[in-house]
Amino acid sequence: FLHDELPIRLAHRVVELDSLPDNLNQMPSVLRVKRMYIDSFNELINFPKVSERIRDAVKEATVQGSTQRKHLSGNSQNPSLVDHSGSAAANGARSMSSHWIPSIQHRSYHYEVKPTELPVEVSEYNRSFVKTLEKIKRRHDPVVTTLAQGVVEYKQLLKTKTIDHPVQHFLDRFYLSRIGIRMLIGQQIELNQPQQHKDYVGVICTHTKLSDVVQEAIDNARFICGDYYMLMNTPEIELHCPRDLEFMYVPSHLHHMVFELLKNSLRAVVELYGDEAESYPPIKVVIAEGNEDITIKVSDEGGGIPRSAMEQVWTYMYTTAQTPMLDPEFDKSDFKAPLAGFGYGLPLSRLYARYFGGDLKLISMEGYGTDAYLHLSRLSDNEEPLA
Protein backbone atom coordinates (compact mmCIF):
# COMPACT_ATOMS: atom_id res chain seq x y z
CA PHE A 1 0.00 0.00 0.00
CA LEU A 2 2.67 2.53 1.00
CA HIS A 3 4.80 1.73 -2.01
CA ASP A 4 1.90 2.91 -4.21
CA GLU A 5 0.37 5.59 -1.98
CA LEU A 6 3.37 7.63 -0.80
CA PRO A 7 4.66 8.60 -4.29
CA ILE A 8 1.19 9.92 -5.14
CA ARG A 9 1.06 12.10 -2.03
CA LEU A 10 4.62 13.34 -2.52
CA ALA A 11 3.95 14.17 -6.19
CA HIS A 12 0.90 16.24 -5.27
CA ARG A 13 2.97 18.30 -2.87
CA VAL A 14 5.72 18.87 -5.47
CA VAL A 15 3.18 20.12 -8.00
CA GLU A 16 1.65 22.41 -5.40
CA LEU A 17 5.04 23.79 -4.33
CA ASP A 18 5.88 24.44 -7.98
CA SER A 19 2.68 26.42 -8.60
CA LEU A 20 2.86 28.82 -5.62
CA PRO A 21 2.08 32.45 -6.53
CA ASP A 22 4.11 35.68 -6.35
CA ASN A 23 7.53 34.03 -6.57
CA LEU A 24 6.99 32.14 -3.30
CA ASN A 25 7.98 29.01 -5.24
CA GLN A 26 11.36 30.62 -5.97
CA MET A 27 12.34 31.27 -2.36
CA PRO A 28 15.56 29.36 -1.51
CA SER A 29 14.02 27.54 1.46
CA VAL A 30 10.92 26.55 -0.55
CA LEU A 31 13.19 25.13 -3.25
CA ARG A 32 15.00 23.10 -0.55
CA VAL A 33 11.68 21.62 0.57
CA LYS A 34 10.71 20.79 -3.01
CA ARG A 35 14.04 19.03 -3.51
CA MET A 36 13.39 16.91 -0.40
CA TYR A 37 10.04 15.77 -1.82
CA ILE A 38 11.48 15.08 -5.29
CA ASP A 39 14.32 13.00 -3.83
CA SER A 40 11.91 10.97 -1.72
CA PHE A 41 9.57 10.48 -4.70
CA ASN A 42 12.44 9.19 -6.83
CA GLU A 43 13.60 6.79 -4.11
CA LEU A 44 10.15 5.27 -3.79
CA ILE A 45 9.39 4.86 -7.49
CA ASN A 46 12.83 3.31 -8.02
CA PHE A 47 12.40 0.92 -5.11
CA PRO A 48 11.67 -2.61 -6.42
CA LYS A 49 8.00 -3.53 -6.51
CA VAL A 50 6.72 -6.54 -4.65
CA SER A 51 7.29 -9.54 -6.91
CA GLU A 52 4.53 -11.97 -7.74
CA ARG A 53 6.56 -14.69 -6.01
CA ILE A 54 6.54 -12.74 -2.73
CA ARG A 55 2.82 -11.95 -3.11
CA ASP A 56 2.03 -15.61 -3.64
CA ALA A 57 4.23 -16.59 -0.69
CA VAL A 58 2.41 -14.18 1.63
CA LYS A 59 -1.00 -15.40 0.47
CA GLU A 60 0.05 -19.01 0.89
CA ALA A 61 1.39 -18.36 4.39
CA THR A 62 -1.43 -16.20 5.75
CA VAL A 63 -4.71 -16.93 3.93
CA GLN A 64 -6.55 -20.07 4.96
CA GLY A 65 -7.87 -20.72 1.50
CA SER A 66 -10.47 -19.38 -0.90
CA THR A 67 -13.16 -21.48 0.75
CA GLN A 68 -12.67 -19.41 3.91
CA ARG A 69 -13.44 -16.11 2.17
CA LYS A 70 -16.36 -14.49 3.91
CA HIS A 71 -19.06 -12.44 2.25
CA LEU A 72 -20.17 -9.80 4.72
CA SER A 73 -23.79 -8.73 4.87
CA GLY A 74 -24.90 -5.34 3.59
CA ASN A 75 -25.69 -2.34 5.73
CA SER A 76 -29.03 -2.22 7.49
CA GLN A 77 -31.20 0.57 8.81
CA ASN A 78 -30.53 1.83 12.33
CA PRO A 79 -32.79 -0.34 14.57
CA SER A 80 -33.62 2.63 16.79
CA LEU A 81 -35.35 4.29 13.82
CA VAL A 82 -37.54 1.30 12.98
CA ASP A 83 -41.21 1.60 13.99
CA HIS A 84 -42.34 -1.85 15.13
CA SER A 85 -46.05 -1.00 15.06
CA GLY A 86 -46.21 -1.55 11.32
CA SER A 87 -49.03 0.95 10.96
CA ALA A 88 -49.51 2.78 7.67
CA ALA A 89 -49.41 6.09 9.50
CA ALA A 90 -46.14 5.21 11.16
CA ASN A 91 -44.67 4.05 7.86
CA GLY A 92 -45.85 7.24 6.19
CA ALA A 93 -44.35 9.35 8.97
CA ARG A 94 -41.08 7.46 8.65
CA SER A 95 -40.94 8.02 4.90
CA MET A 96 -41.49 11.74 5.38
CA SER A 97 -38.92 12.02 8.17
CA SER A 98 -35.81 13.97 7.29
CA HIS A 99 -33.83 11.89 9.79
CA TRP A 100 -34.21 8.55 8.06
CA ILE A 101 -31.61 7.80 5.41
CA PRO A 102 -31.79 4.60 3.36
CA SER A 103 -28.80 2.34 3.85
CA ILE A 104 -26.18 2.31 1.10
CA GLN A 105 -25.64 -1.28 0.07
CA HIS A 106 -21.88 -1.74 0.19
CA ARG A 107 -20.47 -5.24 0.44
CA SER A 108 -17.09 -6.09 1.88
CA TYR A 109 -14.82 -9.12 1.79
CA HIS A 110 -12.06 -10.21 4.11
CA TYR A 111 -9.80 -13.17 4.69
CA GLU A 112 -9.42 -15.22 7.80
CA VAL A 113 -5.69 -14.80 8.48
CA LYS A 114 -3.80 -17.56 10.24
CA PRO A 115 -0.81 -16.81 12.50
CA THR A 116 2.37 -17.91 10.80
CA GLU A 117 6.04 -17.18 10.18
CA LEU A 118 6.50 -15.22 6.95
CA PRO A 119 8.99 -16.48 4.36
CA VAL A 120 12.54 -15.12 4.63
CA GLU A 121 12.32 -13.13 1.39
CA VAL A 122 9.26 -11.29 2.71
CA SER A 123 11.06 -10.24 5.88
CA GLU A 124 14.08 -9.11 3.87
CA TYR A 125 11.91 -7.04 1.54
CA ASN A 126 10.15 -5.42 4.51
CA ARG A 127 13.45 -4.59 6.22
CA SER A 128 14.78 -2.98 3.06
CA PHE A 129 11.59 -0.96 2.56
CA VAL A 130 11.55 0.17 6.20
CA LYS A 131 15.16 1.38 5.89
CA THR A 132 14.12 3.48 2.89
CA LEU A 133 11.19 4.91 4.87
CA GLU A 134 13.48 5.75 7.80
CA LYS A 135 15.79 7.63 5.44
CA ILE A 136 12.85 9.56 3.97
CA LYS A 137 11.52 10.37 7.43
CA ARG A 138 14.89 11.77 8.53
CA ARG A 139 15.16 13.79 5.33
CA HIS A 140 11.76 15.39 5.96
CA ASP A 141 12.38 16.22 9.63
CA PRO A 142 13.18 19.91 8.93
CA VAL A 143 10.30 20.50 6.46
CA VAL A 144 8.17 22.59 8.85
CA THR A 145 10.92 24.97 9.87
CA THR A 146 12.47 25.14 6.40
CA LEU A 147 9.15 26.05 4.79
CA ALA A 148 8.56 28.55 7.59
CA GLN A 149 11.90 30.13 6.71
CA GLY A 150 10.72 30.26 3.08
CA VAL A 151 7.64 32.22 4.11
CA VAL A 152 9.87 34.61 6.10
CA GLU A 153 11.93 35.17 2.93
CA TYR A 154 8.70 35.72 0.99
CA LYS A 155 7.47 38.32 3.48
CA GLN A 156 10.80 40.13 3.31
CA LEU A 157 10.64 40.15 -0.49
CA LEU A 158 7.15 41.67 -0.48
CA LYS A 159 7.93 43.90 2.52
CA THR A 160 4.76 42.76 4.30
CA LYS A 161 4.06 41.55 7.83
CA THR A 162 1.20 39.20 6.97
CA ILE A 163 0.47 36.46 4.45
CA ASP A 164 -2.62 36.38 2.23
CA HIS A 165 -5.41 33.79 2.23
CA PRO A 166 -4.11 31.66 -0.70
CA VAL A 167 -0.77 31.16 1.09
CA GLN A 168 -2.58 30.44 4.38
CA HIS A 169 -4.76 27.79 2.72
CA PHE A 170 -1.73 26.28 0.97
CA LEU A 171 0.13 25.94 4.29
CA ASP A 172 -2.92 24.30 5.89
CA ARG A 173 -3.16 21.75 3.08
CA PHE A 174 0.58 21.16 2.94
CA TYR A 175 1.07 20.61 6.67
CA LEU A 176 -2.07 18.48 7.00
CA SER A 177 -0.77 16.28 4.19
CA ARG A 178 2.60 16.12 5.94
CA ILE A 179 0.93 14.89 9.14
CA GLY A 180 -0.72 12.11 7.12
CA ILE A 181 2.50 11.13 5.34
CA ARG A 182 4.48 10.98 8.59
CA MET A 183 1.66 9.06 10.25
CA LEU A 184 1.79 6.38 7.53
CA ILE A 185 5.59 6.21 7.54
CA GLY A 186 5.84 6.17 11.34
CA GLN A 187 3.21 3.45 11.62
CA GLN A 188 4.97 1.23 9.09
CA ILE A 189 8.35 1.69 10.76
CA GLU A 190 7.05 0.94 14.26
CA LEU A 191 5.06 -2.10 13.14
CA ASN A 192 8.28 -3.61 11.79
CA GLN A 193 10.33 -3.09 14.95
CA PRO A 194 11.38 -6.33 16.68
CA GLN A 195 10.29 -5.04 20.10
CA GLN A 196 6.71 -3.76 20.33
CA HIS A 197 5.79 -1.45 23.22
CA LYS A 198 3.01 -2.59 25.51
CA ASP A 199 -0.43 -1.20 24.52
CA TYR A 200 0.96 0.14 21.24
CA VAL A 201 0.00 -0.72 17.67
CA GLY A 202 2.63 1.13 15.71
CA VAL A 203 2.59 4.74 16.93
CA ILE A 204 -0.99 4.41 18.24
CA CYS A 205 -1.43 3.69 21.93
CA THR A 206 -4.62 1.74 22.61
CA HIS A 207 -4.62 2.90 26.24
CA THR A 208 -3.26 6.44 26.20
CA LYS A 209 -3.36 7.65 29.81
CA LEU A 210 -4.14 11.35 29.55
CA SER A 211 -2.88 12.33 33.00
CA ASP A 212 0.59 10.92 32.23
CA VAL A 213 0.92 12.51 28.78
CA VAL A 214 -0.39 15.90 29.94
CA GLN A 215 1.82 15.87 33.05
CA GLU A 216 4.86 15.24 30.88
CA ALA A 217 3.86 18.20 28.68
CA ILE A 218 3.45 20.34 31.84
CA ASP A 219 6.91 19.42 33.11
CA ASN A 220 8.54 20.13 29.74
CA ALA A 221 6.75 23.46 29.26
CA ARG A 222 7.64 24.68 32.76
CA PHE A 223 11.27 23.68 32.29
CA ILE A 224 11.56 25.52 28.97
CA CYS A 225 9.79 28.59 30.40
CA GLY A 226 12.09 28.71 33.41
CA ASP A 227 15.16 28.26 31.25
CA TYR A 228 14.13 30.92 28.70
CA TYR A 229 13.24 33.61 31.25
CA MET A 230 15.83 32.41 33.81
CA LEU A 231 13.13 32.13 36.49
CA MET A 232 13.60 30.85 40.00
CA ASN A 233 9.82 30.65 40.40
CA THR A 234 8.06 29.28 37.30
CA PRO A 235 4.23 29.66 37.20
CA GLU A 236 2.43 26.65 38.65
CA ILE A 237 0.20 24.50 36.43
CA GLU A 238 -2.69 22.70 38.11
CA LEU A 239 -3.91 19.49 36.47
CA HIS A 240 -7.48 18.30 37.09
CA CYS A 241 -7.94 14.92 35.43
CA PRO A 242 -9.42 11.56 36.42
CA ARG A 243 -6.45 9.29 37.08
CA ASP A 244 -7.93 6.34 35.18
CA LEU A 245 -9.02 8.30 32.07
CA GLU A 246 -7.54 6.70 28.95
CA PHE A 247 -8.43 6.27 25.29
CA MET A 248 -6.85 5.30 21.97
CA TYR A 249 -4.69 8.06 20.47
CA VAL A 250 -1.20 8.98 19.28
CA PRO A 251 0.61 10.17 22.44
CA SER A 252 3.20 12.22 20.50
CA HIS A 253 0.41 14.23 18.84
CA LEU A 254 -1.32 14.80 22.17
CA HIS A 255 1.91 15.90 23.86
CA HIS A 256 2.69 18.31 21.03
CA MET A 257 -0.70 20.04 21.17
CA VAL A 258 -0.85 20.38 24.96
CA PHE A 259 2.79 21.51 25.13
CA GLU A 260 2.12 24.32 22.62
CA LEU A 261 -0.94 25.53 24.54
CA LEU A 262 0.93 25.51 27.85
CA LYS A 263 3.92 27.27 26.33
CA ASN A 264 1.65 30.09 25.11
CA SER A 265 -0.06 30.40 28.49
CA LEU A 266 3.23 30.44 30.42
CA ARG A 267 4.65 33.12 28.17
CA ALA A 268 1.53 35.27 28.49
CA VAL A 269 1.53 35.04 32.30
CA VAL A 270 5.26 35.74 32.72
CA GLU A 271 5.25 38.68 30.32
CA LEU A 272 2.17 40.19 31.96
CA TYR A 273 3.49 40.00 35.53
CA GLY A 274 7.20 40.33 34.71
CA ASP A 275 10.07 37.89 35.17
CA GLU A 276 10.87 39.31 38.61
CA ALA A 277 7.41 38.75 40.10
CA GLU A 278 7.34 36.92 43.44
CA SER A 279 4.37 34.79 42.39
CA TYR A 280 2.12 34.14 39.41
CA PRO A 281 -1.52 33.07 39.11
CA PRO A 282 -1.65 29.34 38.35
CA ILE A 283 -2.52 27.97 34.95
CA LYS A 284 -5.29 25.37 35.12
CA VAL A 285 -5.65 22.30 32.94
CA VAL A 286 -9.04 20.60 33.19
CA ILE A 287 -9.81 17.36 31.34
CA ALA A 288 -13.41 16.20 30.88
CA GLU A 289 -14.75 12.98 29.37
CA GLY A 290 -17.82 13.07 27.13
CA ASN A 291 -19.57 10.54 24.92
CA GLU A 292 -18.14 12.02 21.70
CA ASP A 293 -15.06 13.96 22.81
CA ILE A 294 -12.45 14.21 25.47
CA THR A 295 -11.90 17.92 26.04
CA ILE A 296 -8.81 19.53 27.52
CA LYS A 297 -9.20 23.11 28.74
CA VAL A 298 -6.12 25.24 29.40
CA SER A 299 -6.97 28.43 31.33
CA ASP A 300 -4.55 31.24 32.09
CA GLU A 301 -4.68 34.75 33.51
CA GLY A 302 -2.17 36.20 31.08
CA GLY A 303 -4.11 39.26 30.01
CA GLY A 304 -6.07 37.74 27.14
CA ILE A 305 -6.12 38.51 23.42
CA PRO A 306 -7.82 41.58 21.83
CA ARG A 307 -10.98 40.59 19.95
CA SER A 308 -9.58 42.16 16.77
CA ALA A 309 -6.61 39.77 16.90
CA MET A 310 -8.51 36.52 17.49
CA GLU A 311 -8.57 35.53 13.82
CA GLN A 312 -4.90 36.40 13.39
CA VAL A 313 -3.75 33.90 16.00
CA TRP A 314 -4.59 31.10 13.53
CA THR A 315 -2.47 32.73 10.82
CA TYR A 316 0.96 31.28 10.15
CA MET A 317 3.75 33.68 10.98
CA TYR A 318 1.57 35.74 13.33
CA THR A 319 3.62 36.15 16.49
CA THR A 320 4.56 38.78 19.02
CA ALA A 321 8.01 37.22 19.48
CA GLN A 322 11.05 37.95 17.36
CA THR A 323 11.18 35.71 14.29
CA PRO A 324 14.47 33.77 14.19
CA MET A 325 16.49 33.14 11.05
CA LEU A 326 17.55 29.52 10.64
CA ASP A 327 20.91 28.27 9.49
CA PRO A 328 20.64 26.72 5.99
CA GLU A 329 21.88 23.40 7.43
CA PHE A 330 19.28 23.32 10.24
CA ASP A 331 17.84 19.79 10.29
CA LYS A 332 15.74 19.41 13.44
CA SER A 333 12.17 18.11 13.40
CA ASP A 334 9.12 20.23 14.13
CA PHE A 335 8.96 18.84 17.69
CA LYS A 336 12.43 20.16 18.55
CA ALA A 337 12.69 23.26 16.38
CA PRO A 338 12.52 26.83 17.73
CA LEU A 339 8.97 27.45 16.55
CA ALA A 340 8.53 30.28 19.05
CA GLY A 341 8.84 33.30 16.82
CA PHE A 342 7.46 31.60 13.70
CA GLY A 343 3.84 31.74 14.87
CA TYR A 344 3.27 28.09 14.00
CA GLY A 345 2.26 26.68 17.40
CA LEU A 346 -1.49 27.23 17.30
CA PRO A 347 -2.14 26.63 13.57
CA LEU A 348 -0.18 23.37 13.61
CA SER A 349 -1.80 22.20 16.85
CA ARG A 350 -5.24 22.76 15.33
CA LEU A 351 -4.23 20.66 12.30
CA TYR A 352 -3.05 17.81 14.56
CA ALA A 353 -6.41 17.92 16.37
CA ARG A 354 -8.43 18.03 13.14
CA TYR A 355 -6.48 15.16 11.57
CA PHE A 356 -8.26 12.73 13.92
CA GLY A 357 -11.62 14.52 13.85
CA GLY A 358 -11.03 16.90 16.78
CA ASP A 359 -10.61 20.67 16.96
CA LEU A 360 -8.95 23.50 18.85
CA LYS A 361 -10.79 26.67 19.88
CA LEU A 362 -9.89 29.79 21.85
CA ILE A 363 -12.08 32.01 24.02
CA SER A 364 -10.37 35.08 25.39
CA MET A 365 -11.19 37.92 27.78
CA GLU A 366 -8.97 40.88 27.06
CA GLY A 367 -7.64 42.21 30.33
CA TYR A 368 -7.96 38.87 32.11
CA GLY A 369 -6.91 35.70 30.28
CA THR A 370 -7.57 33.01 27.69
CA ASP A 371 -9.25 29.60 27.68
CA ALA A 372 -8.12 27.09 25.05
CA TYR A 373 -10.39 24.10 24.36
CA LEU A 374 -8.74 21.08 22.77
CA HIS A 375 -11.36 18.59 21.56
CA LEU A 376 -10.18 15.02 20.92
CA SER A 377 -12.67 12.79 19.11
CA ARG A 378 -13.45 9.45 20.75
CA LEU A 379 -15.46 8.23 17.76
CA SER A 380 -13.63 6.28 15.07
CA ASP A 381 -15.95 7.54 12.36
CA ASN A 382 -13.89 10.19 10.56
CA GLU A 383 -11.95 9.74 7.35
CA GLU A 384 -8.45 11.07 6.76
CA PRO A 385 -8.76 14.69 5.51
CA LEU A 386 -6.92 14.37 2.21
CA ALA A 387 -6.26 17.64 0.39
Side-chain angles (χ1 to χ4, degrees):
F1 170 72
L2 287 189
H3 189 276
D4 295 333
E5 178 69 14
L6 286 178
I8 296 172
R9 298 194 183 202
L10 294 172
H12 285 167
R13 302 286 74 82
V14 171
V15 170
E16 198 165 21
L17 284 167
D18 213 27
S19 58
L20 290 173
D22 300 328
N23 290 322
L24 177 56
N25 58 355
Q26 297 302 315
M27 296 299 102
S29 296
V30 175
L31 292 175
R32 282 185 64 205
V33 171
K34 188 172 78 169
R35 173 49 54 190
M36 295 177 197
Y37 277 74
I38 291 174
D39 290 346
S40 298
F41 173 83
N42 287 331
E43 279 191 33
L44 286 169
I45 62 172
N46 290 323
F47 191 86
K49 291 185 177 294
V50 179
S51 67
E52 288 300 322
R53 190 166 62 86
I54 292 180
R55 290 181 186 272
D56 293 341
V58 171
K59 283 185 180 180
E60 180 68 26
T62 58
V63 180
Q64 293 185 359
S66 58
T67 57
Q68 297 295 323
R69 186 182 298 181
K70 289 190 175 182
H71 185 192
L72 303 183
S73 60
N75 297 337
S76 57
Q77 184 185 346
N78 187 337
S80 65
L81 300 179
V82 177
D83 190 296
H84 299 286
S85 65
S87 66
N91 290 332
R94 183 186 67 182
S95 64
M96 294 297 290
S97 171
S98 61
H99 298 287
W100 182 77
I101 302 175
S103 63
I104 301 174
Q105 294 297 323
H106 291 301
R107 294 188 181 276
S108 304
Y109 297 85
H110 78 283
Y111 288 108
E112 288 287 345
V113 178
K114 57 185 179 182
T116 185
E117 287 291 331
L118 292 173
V120 175
E121 56 262 47
V122 176
S123 300
E124 290 177 349
Y125 183 90
N126 281 340
R127 275 196 296 270
S128 178
F129 188 59
V130 166
K131 284 183 179 179
T132 300
L133 292 180
E134 289 173 340
K135 182 179 177 182
I136 291 173
K137 189 171 184 286
R138 285 193 301 270
R139 177 186 294 129
H140 287 245
D141 277 347
V143 162
V144 171
T145 45
T146 306
L147 191 55
Q149 185 63 48
V151 177
V152 171
E153 297 162 358
Y154 170 73
K155 288 170 62 179
Q156 292 173 344
L157 176 69
L158 298 184
K159 295 181 172 59
T160 180
K161 293 183 178 180
T162 59
I163 58 176
D164 54 19
H165 289 296
V167 176
Q168 174 76 14
H169 293 325
F170 156 73
L171 292 173
D172 273 340
R173 292 193 306 273
F174 186 89
Y175 288 133
L176 193 61
S177 170
R178 181 178 185 272
I179 292 171
I181 289 172
R182 290 181 74 84
M183 182 71 192
L184 290 174
I185 291 177
Q187 186 74 354
Q188 182 72 11
I189 291 173
E190 289 300 321
L191 287 174
N192 283 275
Q193 295 303 313
Q195 297 294 329
Q196 297 289 326
H197 297 291
K198 184 178 180 294
D199 295 332
Y200 273 79
V201 180
V203 296
I204 301 169
C205 180
T206 56
H207 298 284
T208 303
K209 197 167 184 180
L210 273 83
S211 58
D212 292 347
V213 178
V214 173
Q215 186 60 55
E216 182 182 358
I218 289 172
D219 295 340
N220 292 343
R222 292 188 74 235
F223 174 80
I224 287 179
C225 177
D227 182 62
Y228 181 82
Y229 290 104
M230 293 182 290
L231 299 176
M232 295 295 293
N233 181 28
T234 307
E236 293 293 330
I237 300 178
E238 300 175 359
L239 175 59
H240 304 276
C241 173
R243 291 295 303 171
D244 58 347
L245 180 56
E246 57 184 34
F247 78 133
M248 184 165 60
Y249 208 73
V250 181
S252 60
H253 287 194
L254 178 58
H255 180 279
H256 178 74
M257 292 182 288
V258 175
F259 172 77
E260 287 295 336
L261 294 177
L262 292 172
K263 188 175 68 174
N264 287 345
S265 291
L266 285 166
R267 180 168 173 245
V269 169
V270 172
E271 295 194 354
L272 178 66
Y273 289 88
D275 54 10
E276 296 182 357
E278 293 184 1
S279 64
Y280 300 95
I283 295 167
K284 298 179 180 178
V285 180
V286 180
I287 303 178
E289 179 182 17
N291 292 328
E292 295 183 4
D293 292 341
I294 288 177
T295 303
I296 302 175
K297 182 175 76 167
V298 179
S299 302
D300 66 61
E301 297 178 27
I305 304 170
R307 193 157 54 92
S308 61
M310 284 301 292
E311 287 301 317
Q312 291 178 289
V313 300
W314 303 112
T315 304
Y316 296 94
M317 313 307 297
Y318 174 78
T319 178
T320 56
Q322 183 179 359
T323 300
M325 295 295 289
L326 293 183
D327 185 274
E329 301 304 317
F330 185 84
D331 64 351
K332 297 297 187 293
S333 72
D334 52 337
F335 291 97
K336 300 175 183 176
L339 293 185
F342 279 118
Y344 269 50
L346 285 175
L348 277 182
S349 295
R350 185 167 67 170
L351 290 183
Y352 275 104
R354 288 179 172 178
Y355 183 78
F356 285 118
D359 207 353
L360 175 60
K361 299 180 182 297
L362 296 182
I363 298 177
S364 189
M365 294 173 61
E366 186 181 8
Y368 181 75
T370 301
D371 289 349
Y373 291 86
L374 176 60
H375 300 280
L376 309 173
S377 176
R378 302 188 66 180
L379 307 177
S380 302
D381 60 351
N382 60 292
E383 296 180 353
E384 185 182 15
L386 297 176

